[in-house]
Amino acid sequence: MDLLHVSLSTILTAPLLAQQTAFLLDGATGILLGVVISCLLIATGAGQILRRQPDSSVNPAIVQAFIRRVRAWWLMTAILAVTFTIPSPVATVILFFLISFWALREFITLTPTRLGDHRTLFWVFFILTPAQYVLVAMGQSQYELFSILIPVYGFLFIAARIAVAGDYKRFLERIAKIQAGLYICVYSLSYAPALLYLTDWTDPEYSTKSTAGLLFYFLLVAQLSDLLHFVCSRLLGKNVIAPNINASRTWEGFFAGTGVTAVVGAMLSLTGATPFNPWQSAVMSIVIAVMGAAGSMAMSAIKRDRGVQDYGTLVEGHAGVLDRIDAICFAAPVFFHLTRYYFTTASGG
Amino acid sequence: MKFNFTGPFLAGLAKVVAGSSVRWVDCHPDTCQRIYFANHTSHIDAVIIWASLPKHCRELTKPVAAKDYWDRGWFRRYLARSLNAMLIDRENIKVHRSPVESMLKEIGDKYSAIIFPEGSRNDGTNLREFKSGLFYLAKKRPDLELVPVYVDNMTRILPKGEYLPVPLLSRVIFGPPIWLENGEPKTEFLVRAREAVSRLRDV
């Protein structure tokens, strides 16, 4: 694994990588994709039936929100399926780079910056963000730099660059804002495509399979737990966790939603798309669900502080990219590390 | 009109860089003759507003630009021509060649114009006082619709004195048209026009 001098040009041509990821869309991932498309078809049908009900007890606004969410899922599934069919993980990395870039745009647009931050922001958008994704695309050999570039060197650089610009007003607040945006939208999210590059599985059987299934599993469980928390809060919620931040998230919804996610996660492991057995998969699903809920809460807190409903409303009147990926951002690093430490030998184990 | 590739390209590029979303509040895109008047915070304001118009309106709309800046060198001249801009002389102002006169001559009875009545760029917090050009335009051509436009967040995307844009998201908001009332004094009209623009900030 000491391929420390892997250059950019070898990403696309390295025989090791090419052999490992020749078919990102293999049988197990195909089964998982089939399951997802079936679920989406059912959800689309349910949404249409709910909408056609002349006077149902269901709030039409919720039905509309549900239909929009299902539509976003279709889009996400379609884009991922297309990137998986391209026989190189680089396509998926580029896709996630674009999502990060757009999310960071929404984040920085919403949190006020001063004129003195302008050049720092230019570095953040055009140097640090692409650099992080280039390191992801260089694979596990660059894991060390990939995992510290932004939280160590990036953060020091941001503080220094703003100081050099010469505006000291609310200095600490401003560097914290830019760092938080970069950390959540770029660094944390980049762990999702990094899953594709995990190697040296302890389970020899999984080594023959495509890691696309793992990424797909992760995104699926994260989005599903988000939906299940919402639905369970509606059905049996009483004790709101933090009414000032999100009036619809309840403790009952959180525990029930996490429980259902664990059951679904255990069943998803039967597709063979992950290296987990059913109980391991259930634990992983719980971790993803808890982190996802934490992410949604944290991002809601930022939104409430800025007095907006969605990251997108500032701009277009519908939810922004950041509203869709907040759960993924918080869950990705934890899921990546748990998988890397317990299911591969890359950590020296 | 000769077919022009650069114009649509620049419009697309400006939209991508500034991530702008467009809103029409009590107003609709139309090819009737109009004066769009907007707050001025950045070099690329005029391009952003121009790009925000639907294609059929854009072809009939001329952003007003300073001749002393845009007439220097072939590249700037080429850009100005691609954007359909009309270059107005800020320096050699004479009675028979005032900016208002030349603007009216350029738009004739066909084109609309995009102008920035603040005269120069503001710092992004408050609108400056409006210059009187808008009043004289309205007085000479009472048939023109005066459409207020508010461009939001452009100061952060490309502030004064910077040359590299940061790709944040911006908004362009078109508001309900105003007209000069019969016998309305100049100062009152200009205050009213300025408020029409600043009110759009909060919609």
Side-chain angles (χ1 to χ4, degrees):
Chain A
M1 281 318 294
D2 278 319
L3 291 165
L4 277 169
H5 42 264
V6 174
S7 69
L8 192 55
S9 61
T10 57
I11 296 169
L12 301 158
T13 53
L16 180 105
L17 289 175
Q19 183 198 334
Q20 173 213 335
T21 52
F23 299 100
L24 273 177
L25 193 68
D26 65 359
T29 311
I31 295 171
L32 193 55
L33 197 62
V35 171
V36 170
I37 290 174
S38 318
C39 291
L40 280 176
L41 282 172
I42 294 168
T44 308
Q48 291 305 319
I49 290 167
L50 279 174
R51 204 179 60 174
R52 302 255 158 83
Q53 300 283 312
D55 39 25
S56 66
S57 53
V58 190
N59 185 345
I62 294 174
V63 175
Q64 204 54 47
F66 177 75
I67 289 173
R68 263 209 305 274
R69 199 174 276 243
V70 171
R71 206 173 290 155
W73 276 46
W74 272 114
L75 190 67
M76 193 186 80
T77 311
I79 293 172
L80 276 173
V82 169
T83 52
F84 285 168
T85 55
I86 299 169
S88 160
V90 175
T92 313
V93 174
I94 292 172
L95 172 71
F96 274 88
F97 164 71
L98 295 174
I99 296 173
S100 269
F101 197 85
W102 194 271
L104 187 62
R105 259 183 133 167
E106 287 177 352
F107 191 102
I108 302 287
T109 300
L110 195 67
T111 52
T113 53
R114 286 169 64 87
L115 197 56
D117 303 332
H118 186 80
R119 300 219 168 159
T120 314
L121 287 175
F122 189 83
W123 277 84
V124 164
F125 274 101
F126 293 107
I127 312 286
L128 287 172
T129 304
Q132 177 72 9
Y133 279 91
V134 167
L135 290 174
V136 170
M138 290 171 82
Q140 284 297 296
S141 62
Q142 295 301 311
Y143 170 74
E144 278 167 27
L145 187 54
F146 151 76
S147 60
I148 61 168
L149 177 78
I150 284 174
V152 178
Y153 300 112
F155 281 17
L156 294 176
F157 173 80
I158 288 169
R161 186 66 190 82
I162 294 183
V164 169
D167 182 357
Y168 57 81
K169 281 236 174 74
R170 292 185 281 121
F171 177 73
L172 208 49
E173 226 179 284
R174 281 156 54 209
I175 62 175
K177 272 174 199 161
I178 299 177
Q179 286 168 348
L182 189 61
Y183 190 78
I184 293 167
C185 303
V186 181
Y187 178 75
S188 298
L189 187 65
S190 70
Y191 274 101
L195 288 168
L196 292 177
Y197 292 88
L198 282 173
T199 51
D200 304 317
W201 298 96
T202 43
D203 175 8
E205 201 200 323
Y206 192 70
S207 302
T208 60
K209 290 188 177 159
S210 156
T211 44
L214 191 67
L215 172 60
F216 201 72
Y217 164 88
F218 164 69
L219 296 174
L220 185 62
V221 172
Q223 296 285 358
L224 201 62
S225 75
D226 202 33
L227 187 68
L228 286 170
H229 284 148
F230 173 76
V231 170
C232 292
S233 282
R234 283 271 156 204
L235 292 179
L236 34 95
K238 279 193 187 68
N239 298 301
V240 180
I241 299 174
N244 290 335
I245 287 178
N246 191 327
S248 66
R249 271 184 190 272
T250 60
W251 284 113
E252 292 84 356
F254 171 71
F255 285 114
T258 306
V260 180
T261 308
V263 174
V264 177
M267 291 194 301
L268 284 175
S269 72
L270 301 175
T271 60
T274 66
F276 317 131
N277 66 29
W279 74 264
Q280 288 166 335
S281 181
V283 172
M284 283 296 195
S285 298
I286 291 171
V287 170
I288 294 170
V290 170
M291 288 308 296
S296 297
M297 286 294 276
M299 300 308 274
S300 291
I302 298 173
K303 285 187 273 189
R304 294 304 161 269
D305 180 37
R306 299 299 311 144
V308 298
Q309 191 66 36
D310 292 310
Y311 280 96
T313 41
L314 179 79
V315 175
E316 277 177 33
H318 64 76
V321 170
L322 207 43
D323 297 295
R324 288 276 160 268
I325 64 164
D326 49 6
I328 296 172
C329 289
F330 274 62
V334 182
F335 179 71
F336 177 90
H337 285 129
L338 287 178
T339 309
R340 188 169 186 272
Y341 282 121
Y342 292 110
F343 296 92
T344 76
T345 56
S347 52
Chain B
M1 200 198 304
K2 213 171 65 196
F3 193 74
N4 166 359
F5 288 104
T6 323
F9 173 74
L10 285 175
L13 184 71
K15 272 189 188 161
V16 170
V17 169
S20 59
S21 59
V22 184
R23 283 186 67 189
W24 293 81
V25 181
D26 298 329
C27 181
H28 294 283
D30 198 334
T31 50
C32 70
Q33 264 194 296
R34 282 171 164 173
I35 304 288
Y36 299 97
F37 62 102
N39 60 325
H40 196 16
T41 53
S42 158
H43 269 317
I44 44 180
D45 282 343
V47 185
I48 290 293
I49 296 171
W50 188 73
S52 301
L53 295 167
K55 193 168 171 291
H56 63 282
C57 297
R58 203 190 295 155
E59 280 164 359
L60 293 173
T61 304
K62 290 168 170 270
V64 172
K67 190 169 184 175
D68 50 284
Y69 183 81
W70 288 100
D71 210 18
R72 235 183 294 149
W74 67 269
F75 186 63
R76 284 182 192 174
R77 262 201 299 276
Y78 173 73
L79 287 185
R81 206 166 48 236
S82 317
L83 296 173
N84 225 354
M86 56 171 132
L87 301 182
I88 297 299
D89 205 331
R90 291 195 289 195
E91 280 152 359
N92 295 317
I93 295 172
K94 286 175 188 140
V95 182
H96 58 281
R97 262 214 328 227
S98 73
V100 171
E101 286 297 335
S102 33
M103 245 183 260
L104 286 173
K105 210 173 114 199
E106 280 247 14
I107 63 174
D109 52 7
K110 185 174 170 196
Y111 290 100
S112 298
I114 301 170
I115 66 168
F116 300 96
E118 290 173 278
S120 57
R121 285 172 284 166
N122 65 42
D123 58 4
T125 47
N126 276 311
L127 261 69
R128 290 165 183 252
E129 296 297 321
F130 277 12
K131 299 251 165 81
S132 51
L134 187 66
F135 173 77
Y136 293 116
L137 278 173
K139 202 165 181 182
K140 293 235 165 86
R141 289 285 303 274
D143 58 312
L144 296 179
E145 282 190 359
L146 308 176
V147 178
V149 185
Y150 186 76
V151 188
D152 193 16
N153 221 13
M154 284 306 296
T155 10
R156 290 173 69 202
I157 292 169
L158 190 63
K160 207 170 178 170
E162 294 286 342
Y163 48 90
L164 294 171
V166 164
L168 302 179
L169 300 165
S170 68
R171 298 188 298 168
V172 180
I173 306 153
F174 294 86
I178 63 167
W179 286 270
L180 178 65
E181 300 292 332
N182 230 339
E184 191 177 12
K186 190 173 89 174
T187 41
E188 264 176 47
F189 170 77
L190 291 176
V191 167
R192 190 160 67 92
R194 184 166 169 263
E195 269 166 14
V197 174
S198 66
R199 207 183 302 129
L200 295 174
R201 189 199 315 235
D202 304 316
V203 297

